[in-house]
Amino acid sequence: MSTVFDQMLERYGNLPKEALWNAKYEVTQQIALAGLRRGGFFNKAAFYGGTCLRIVHGMRRFSEDMDFTLLKEDPTFHLENYFQAVIDEFKLAGRDVVITKKDKMTLGKVESAFLKDETDVYNLSFQTEKTLKVKIEIDVKPPLEFQTELINLYNPYPFIVRCMTLPCLYAGKMHALAFRNWKTRIKGRDWYDFEWYVRKGVPLDYNHLRSRINEFNGLDLSKDDFLTLLKERLSTADIESVKADAIRFVEDTRELDIWSNDYFLQLADMIKFV
């Protein structure tokens, strides 16, 4: 008898090996969201980031990690209080999972340079042909000036999640694109998401972006100053490295054929602010 997990995976049809692995990530993320919802998590927190764009808004790229933020600081909050609800949800779906807190001292340089001290990190994992791990980050000291909305999801069954609004999600992504510490690993997924926002005509909530920049980087930038900084990064990045990261996660790799530094500079000129 097939499990709920297997049935959800069957919706993706026959996929090549890497795409199938991405689909398993996505099914895992959907079940985790359902468990968090069942536990009451979204009364205190909101979903954001690339995985939110994928699962909630249908963006055509897969995503690995799950990012959440508290709605406001709460010294009584502990993500561990919601673990049992998530574990129970996976058991109903036919999987036994383990959730462990991750030592930020062991994170890679790219990750740790972009995490605040007040961000807790967890791994949700289970064994398939190899161990599948979904990293969960929860910002327990959130930046101010963001808005949320309640949105319906339908897998593994109908339920509601609280998400940042698209303009605020956009702000978080532009902060990552402009300030993420690349070292030798450019995160081309940031570029894909940026293009998605511009093509969708989503306005950028600069109040939230300004708050994030101040919180993480100690800077107070005007819109013009931010655009100058962004364009410098877009014009100097190795676009082949950008593509090499993004291509592993996109459904149709032909979407990247147009990518160039000049193309992204043109997108920067198309940014609309709230």
Side-chain angles (χ1 to χ4, degrees):
M1 179 182 297
S2 64
T3 65
V4 170
F5 187 97
D6 296 330
Q7 293 166 13
M8 292 175 67
L9 194 60
E10 288 170 2
R11 294 186 295 108
Y12 294 86
N14 294 321
L15 296 173
K17 186 175 181 180
E18 183 150 347
L20 178 61
W21 189 246
N22 284 330
K24 289 179 179 179
Y25 265 101
E26 189 160 300
V27 170
T28 301
Q29 293 158 351
Q30 291 170 327
I31 296 171
L33 286 170
L36 290 170
R37 165 63 178 83
R38 194 187 293 273
F41 174 77
F42 293 107
N43 294 328
K44 293 191 173 186
F47 189 26
Y48 76 101
T51 304
C52 181
L53 287 185
R54 169 69 182 182
I55 292 178
V56 177
H57 297 287
M59 184 178 65
R60 287 169 53 85
R61 80 157 176 90
F62 290 100
S63 184
E64 293 177 316
D65 306 333
M66 303 183 75
D67 300 305
F68 302 95
T69 179
L70 289 186
L71 304 179
K72 59 182 179 180
E73 287 190 59
D74 181 354
T76 68
F77 175 86
H78 298 286
L79 187 61
E80 290 88 343
N81 293 342
Y82 302 92
F83 282 5
Q84 193 58 52
V86 174
I87 291 168
D88 291 345
E89 196 69 55
F90 274 94
K91 191 171 290 292
L92 289 172
R95 289 289 187 274
D96 292 323
V97 299
V98 175
I99 308 175
T100 55
K101 190 165 186 177
K102 195 168 182 179
D103 181 1
K104 282 183 284 187
M105 295 295 291
T106 67
L107 294 175
K109 290 183 179 179
V110 173
E111 294 173 308
S112 59
F114 204 68
L115 283 180
K116 295 191 300 183
D117 289 340
E118 298 86 1
T119 301
D120 290 336
V121 184
Y122 299 82
N123 275 337
L124 184 154
S125 61
F126 61 87
Q127 189 71 33
T128 56
E129 65 275 12
K130 59 180 179 178
T131 300
L132 187 151
K133 289 185 179 180
V134 172
K135 182 155 65 74
I136 299 173
E137 296 178 11
I138 175 75
D139 188 347
V140 296
K141 188 178 179 182
L144 302 177
E145 307 292 344
F146 69 87
Q147 306 296 318
T148 67
E149 57 185 340
L150 297 174
I151 297 180
N152 295 330
L153 295 180
Y154 299 95
N155 288 295
Y157 51 80
F159 64 101
I160 296 174
V161 297
R162 183 181 299 277
C163 306
M164 276 193 185
T165 60
L166 278 172
C168 290
L169 285 167
Y170 192 2
K173 181 53 60 176
M174 295 311 291
H175 178 235
L177 180 59
F179 289 95
R180 194 188 296 276
N181 189 354
W182 287 344
K183 298 294 184 180
T184 58
R185 176 187 161 200
I186 294 178
K187 201 164 185 179
R189 287 156 280 177
D190 291 342
W191 298 59
Y192 186 96
D193 297 357
F194 169 43
E195 180 193 40
W196 185 89
Y197 283 115
V198 174
R199 289 174 58 193
K200 292 289 184 181
V202 177
L204 172 60
D205 187 326
Y206 196 74
N207 283 337
H208 182 50
L209 176 55
R210 191 172 189 170
S211 176
R212 293 186 73 88
I213 294 171
N214 186 265
E215 181 88 15
F216 277 88
N217 311 103
L219 301 174
D220 186 12
L221 299 181
S222 69
K223 293 176 184 177
D224 287 342
D225 289 340
F226 171 74
L227 287 174
T228 298
L229 185 152
L230 174 67
K231 288 181 177 181
E232 172 66 19
R233 173 157 277 206
L234 295 176
S235 65
T236 57
D238 178 356
I239 201 67
E240 294 306 315
S241 296
V242 173
K243 290 182 179 181
D245 177 78
I247 202 167
R248 297 177 293 126
F249 299 94
V250 300
E251 295 182 11
D252 184 352
T253 59
R254 293 173 297 181
E255 292 184 60
L256 310 188
D257 290 347
I258 195 174
W259 283 19
S260 69
N261 297 91
D262 286 342
Y263 174 65
F264 281 98
L265 287 172
Q266 292 174 38
L267 292 180
D269 287 331
M270 296 169 64
I271 293 173
K272 298 186 298 184
F273 293 97
V274 172

